[in-house]
Amino acid sequence: MTYRVVVVCMGNICRSPMAEVVLRKVLADRGLGAQVVVDSAGTGGWHVGDPMDERALEILTLRGYDGSAHRARQFTKDWFDRYDLVLAMDRDNLSNLRRLAPAGVEVRLFRSFDPAAPDGAEVPDPYYGGREGFEEVLELVESAAEGVAKHIADEIR
């Protein structure tokens, strides 16, 4: 059985693709890469088909990750049938996803898996800022990715 997880932000060019790339590596490092599919999408369709934001890609590359293959996609209601875990990067996206979700489907904040993060912690949108915002996003994503991977490992056992 393959476990499927999707990470969702606004436009799918900054936060969620960064989280997708990091989470995929963390899962592979745990030996779970073949058992888990990690995707990302945006709640909006403005960037569908576009590559990752250059600043996000640069930060990932500098830290040894490869995000070059990413192309933005939009999350739609029918995607809930495809995924075992739906993760939102912030409360706005969480709210948008919960409005779309069928009854009984759980959508969680990505940082809810970081034991050091306060309740309701978000991954802030770096799009309108500088490089330091993208560096912060990567740090927050790396901190939470271990917890997400542990949760997934527990789910597939």
Side-chain angles (χ1 to χ4, degrees):
M1 176 184 114
T2 301
Y3 189 91
R4 299 178 59 87
V5 59
V6 62
V7 186
V8 184
C9 69
M10 196 68 69
N12 193 221
I13 60 168
C14 299
R15 296 173 288 174
S16 61
M18 290 176 80
E20 173 188 354
V21 168
V22 170
L23 184 56
R24 190 175 288 132
K25 181 171 184 333
V26 168
L27 289 163
D29 290 349
R30 286 175 165 247
L32 299 172
Q35 296 171 274
V36 183
V37 172
V38 182
D39 289 318
S40 66
T43 55
W46 315 278
H47 299 289
V48 169
D50 291 347
M52 190 181 305
D53 183 286
E54 291 176 5
R55 298 163 295 177
L57 183 58
E58 177 186 9
I59 296 301
L60 283 172
T61 302
L62 288 172
R63 295 282 280 276
Y65 298 101
D66 181 7
S68 62
H70 176 76
R71 294 297 176 267
R73 301 183 305 161
Q74 183 176 8
F75 189 95
T76 58
K77 187 175 185 162
D78 64 311
W79 283 35
F80 285 106
D81 293 337
R82 301 181 205 173
Y83 294 96
D84 300 293
L85 182 60
V86 179
L87 301 172
M89 298 308 274
D90 64 31
R91 286 187 293 275
D92 286 340
N93 291 298
L94 180 67
S95 178
N96 289 336
L97 289 166
R98 284 183 173 164
R99 275 196 299 276
L100 288 175
V105 172
E106 183 182 20
V107 181
R108 293 185 58 179
L109 285 169
F110 189 84
R111 288 194 65 204
S112 68
F113 292 94
D114 182 350
D119 286 344
E122 303 175 293
V123 177
D125 189 349
Y127 186 76
Y128 293 105
R131 175 188 175 106
E132 59 282 341
F134 290 86
E135 291 170 345
E136 177 188 15
V137 165
L138 183 55
E139 290 171 15
L140 295 173
V141 164
E142 287 177 329
S143 293
E146 287 294 335
V148 175
K150 181 184 179 317
H151 172 79
I152 292 170
D154 291 345
E155 288 287 307
I156 60 180
R157 283 192 195 139

